[in-house]
Amino acid sequence: MVVVAVLALFATGCAQREKPLSEPGERLYALRGEIEARDAADNVLRVKHEAIPGFMEAMTMDFSIRGAEVASLPPDGTPIEATLHVTDRAYWLTDVKSR
């Protein structure tokens, strides 16, 4: 019984450390590009992306991923589309999928 309680507390603590998919005041952009590499330890994808009109030129960048583990995403070399979230202090991708 004690083991179950400890596991429940551990699971709750882990869930609270996950960052939210969205944050107040964020700006959203559609991102299209190709996965070049990934860092599973930091849950980051390196993406060579197309220009994002009105925001950013085409380039290759590392993006934190929220809402998924990078190991479960399409393999390197896959063309993708995703939602880019931008705040004054951070940026990240959600909804990463093959195109």
Side-chain angles (χ1 to χ4, degrees):
M1 190 62 123
V2 172
V3 173
V4 172
V6 170
L7 289 175
L9 286 172
F10 179 74
T12 302
C14 290
Q16 290 173 351
R17 284 191 287 263
E18 288 183 21
K19 294 186 178 181
L21 297 180
S22 294
E23 292 184 12
E26 70 185 4
R27 296 175 309 280
L28 301 176
Y29 300 93
L31 179 134
R32 292 172 55 99
E34 182 177 307
I35 298 174
E36 288 199 338
R38 67 193 67 222
D39 179 349
D42 289 331
N43 209 45
V44 168
L45 285 181
R46 174 165 291 153
V47 178
K48 180 178 181 181
H49 66 80
E50 299 173 2
I52 302 169
F55 181 64
M56 182 186 308
E57 295 297 318
M59 64 182 73
T60 301
M61 294 178 59
D62 290 344
F63 293 95
S64 294
I65 304 301
R66 293 190 188 177
E69 298 294 324
V70 296
S72 70
L73 296 177
D76 295 357
T78 301
I80 59 161
E81 52 189 35
T83 302
L84 171 60
H85 302 250
V86 179
T87 68
D88 290 339
R89 58 183 174 71
Y91 60 91
W92 64 95
L93 296 179
T94 61
D95 304 317
V96 178
K97 57 187 169 227
S98 301
R99 6 179 205 125

